[in-house]
Amino acid sequence: MSSNSFHPPVRTLMGPGPSDVNPRVLEALSRPTIGHLDPAFVGMMDEVKVLLQYAFQTRNELTMPVSAPGSAGMETCFVNLVQPGDKVIVCRNGVFGGRMKENVERAGATAIMVEDPWGRAVDPQKLEDALKAHPDASLVAFVHAETSTGALSDAETLVKLAHEHGCLTIVDAVTSLGGVPVKVDEWEIDAIYSGSQKCLSCVPGLSPVSFGEAALERIRNRTHPVQSWFMDLNLVMGYWGSGAKRAYHHTAPVNALYALHEALVILQEEGMEKAWARHMYHHGALRAGVEAMGLELIVPEGERLPQLNAVSIPEGVEDAAVRGALLSEYNLEIGAGLGELAGKIWRIGLMGFACNRTNVLYCLGALDAVLTAMGAKIDSGRAVAAARAWYGANG
Ligand SMILES: *Cc1c(COP(=O)(O)O)cnc(C)c1O
């Protein structure tokens, strides 16, 4: 069998990630590959570190992209900071908290779970109760922006509580970075990881991470070697570390790093505050449209992510058929519900480059048309007008 070149369809990506990639980033990806120890490349790596420090709002020296997707950034944090026999408090209010639990247990430690309903933020009171009940815990982990439900937790408060009880913190900022404020130094986060393909609007496959001094000290003082050779930061530092001799550790994904560099330059050009405001702004219009249709956002106001909108599926509507029609007729991707929310919600992403007025109006118009054609019980024909009115009223 012979195959031809693969040409993907051109989609509008408004799911939980990957999000639409700026053409500037795709162009950067196609620049000539050079050696990963080439002085020109090493110079670019140094810029990536500085740009990531800006994105994370940190001066942490160890701020760099892991050469693998967000899940590998998660694993990098856990395998380096957790030792066998440790007790780790994991807050779970969606899918990704469950994945943290897996990481803790596979590292030979015990996970103490703090459970909150899916669609709600992590309750600081429950974390405090768990910290009091488990004074021997050494680490607290939580998801800042739960992409599976659209809930935003109060990272600053949760980190403060952890520190009051002598715990370090691991924060999942895969979906939050670039979409809502993430302030690593101000909030004193010890270890944090993100992903390239959500609000940074880069191609998938890289995971920016950052580690503060207390986390590094714990890593240096480990009594058990890190069980992952690839993710052992003691080794990775020889390649990415400051003043490192750039010794060969693994072959960096050279072109993917050009892409991340470009995505971060774009973010710097816009400015973090403006990027956060843009996500909030278009979320306002999307919300107006969704509610005018008679659908609901399942996360209570005040705990909602602007970049990931969990919308209730109307009674009697077949989830997959709607998403299928949006994809085939409109080249539009929105996300399905995960886990206990499967079949109950759609997840409409407004991430990074995809977060703009054209997409908001396009998505509302398409959803309205598809649902109306299926005979769904919605207020047909109102969504786009409501969003346009919202834009009109909010400049
Ligand atoms: C997407 C996501 C991940 C996993 O990232 P991958 O790049 O898919 O490995 C982890 N946590 C959260 C909150 C996410 O949204």
Side-chain angles (χ1 to χ4, degrees):
M1 190 199 111
S2 75
S3 296
N4 297 317
S5 304
F6 176 65
H7 293 279
V10 178
R11 310 280 202 207
T12 299
L13 300 180
M14 298 180 72
S19 61
D20 283 343
V21 177
N22 189 314
R24 278 175 61 182
V25 172
L26 294 176
E27 185 272 320
L29 197 61
S30 70
R31 290 175 196 157
T33 303
I34 58 177
H36 69 117
L37 297 173
D38 186 309
F41 186 71
V42 170
M44 192 215 65
M45 285 168 64
D46 287 335
E47 287 189 14
V48 167
K49 286 171 65 171
V50 173
L51 289 161
L52 280 178
Q53 286 172 333
Y54 172 64
F56 277 124
Q57 308 269 289
T58 184
R59 292 191 192 157
N60 283 344
E61 197 55 62
L62 184 51
T63 301
M64 55 156 209
V66 171
S67 302
S71 303
M74 177 189 285
E75 194 148 344
T76 297
C77 290
F78 283 94
V79 298
N80 281 278
L81 285 171
V82 178
Q83 297 209 70
D86 284 356
K87 247 190 197 183
V88 179
I89 298 181
V90 175
C91 304
R92 174 162 60 183
N93 60 341
V95 166
F96 293 101
R99 209 176 269 190
M100 287 177 152
K101 177 176 189 279
E102 277 284 320
N103 273 272
V104 168
E105 289 170 350
R106 285 172 191 237
T110 305
I112 309 295
M113 301 306 290
V114 172
E115 306 278 358
D116 273 295
W118 288 36
R120 297 301 306 271
V122 173
D123 181 350
Q125 186 60 54
K126 287 187 189 165
L127 173 60
E128 189 164 18
D129 293 346
L131 284 161
K132 283 183 182 151
H134 300 277
D136 52 342
S138 57
L139 196 61
V140 168
F142 64 87
V143 179
H144 185 209
E146 234 319 333
T147 324
S148 63
T149 69
L152 176 65
S153 290
D154 180 353
E156 185 175 17
T157 298
L158 298 175
V159 170
K160 201 168 279 166
L161 283 170
H163 287 170
E164 279 168 19
H165 290 82
C167 288
L168 296 187
T169 49
I170 294 177
V171 178
D172 179 320
V174 175
T175 283
S176 49
L177 189 67
V180 290
V182 175
K183 301 182 177 180
V184 170
D185 285 0
E186 195 181 315
W187 299 348
E188 300 183 347
I189 292 168
D190 300 291
I192 190 164
Y193 59 92
S194 189
S196 50
Q197 78 277 25
K198 311 239 171 155
C199 294
L200 298 180
S201 275
C202 183
V203 291
L206 291 171
S207 177
V209 296
S210 184
F211 293 83
E213 200 37 55
L216 289 183
E217 195 178 310
R218 187 171 292 185
I219 294 168
R220 282 195 289 267
N221 292 333
R222 287 178 64 97
T223 50
H224 294 71
V226 174
Q227 76 261 29
S228 161
W229 176 85
F230 185 71
M231 291 171 188
D232 184 344
L233 287 172
N234 296 300
L235 305 177
V236 175
M237 285 295 288
Y239 184 55
W240 273 102
S242 69
K245 294 207 180 67
R246 306 294 184 192
Y248 169 64
H249 175 260
H250 66 278
T251 306
V254 171
N255 293 59
L257 287 168
Y258 301 163
L260 181 63
H261 181 276
E262 190 70 19
L264 293 168
V265 165
I266 292 168
L267 183 63
Q268 189 185 52
E269 284 170 5
E270 181 177 22
M272 295 300 296
E273 285 78 8
K274 289 215 171 109
W276 300 332
R278 176 168 51 85
H279 284 86
M280 202 45 107
Y281 178 67
H282 295 293
H283 159 77
L286 182 76
R287 173 200 173 170
V290 162
E291 290 179 349
M293 228 185 283
L295 307 183
E296 281 168 22
L297 298 180
I298 66 153
V299 177
E301 198 160 6
E303 299 177 11
R304 271 179 206 154
L305 283 171
Q307 66 270 47
L308 195 285
N309 298 269
V311 177
S312 60
I313 298 178
E315 203 74 31
V317 167
E318 209 206 314
D319 168 27
V322 173
R323 285 182 293 105
L326 292 173
L327 196 65
S328 62
E329 295 170 32
Y330 293 86
N331 273 312
L332 174 63
E333 179 178 282
I334 64 168
L338 289 181
E340 61 184 62
L341 292 174
K344 297 185 182 153
I345 60 164
W346 290 308
R347 293 181 298 153
I348 304 181
L350 286 173
M351 295 185 180
F353 187 63
C355 180
N356 61 65
R357 181 180 179 131
T358 303
N359 279 3
V360 167
L361 298 177
Y362 185 65
C363 177
L364 289 170
L367 193 57
D368 187 341
V370 166
L371 287 173
T372 301
M374 286 179 176
K377 289 195 197 73
I378 60 161
D379 293 319
S380 294
R382 293 189 186 165
V384 174
R388 294 187 77 238
W390 192 93
Y391 281 124
N394 290 276

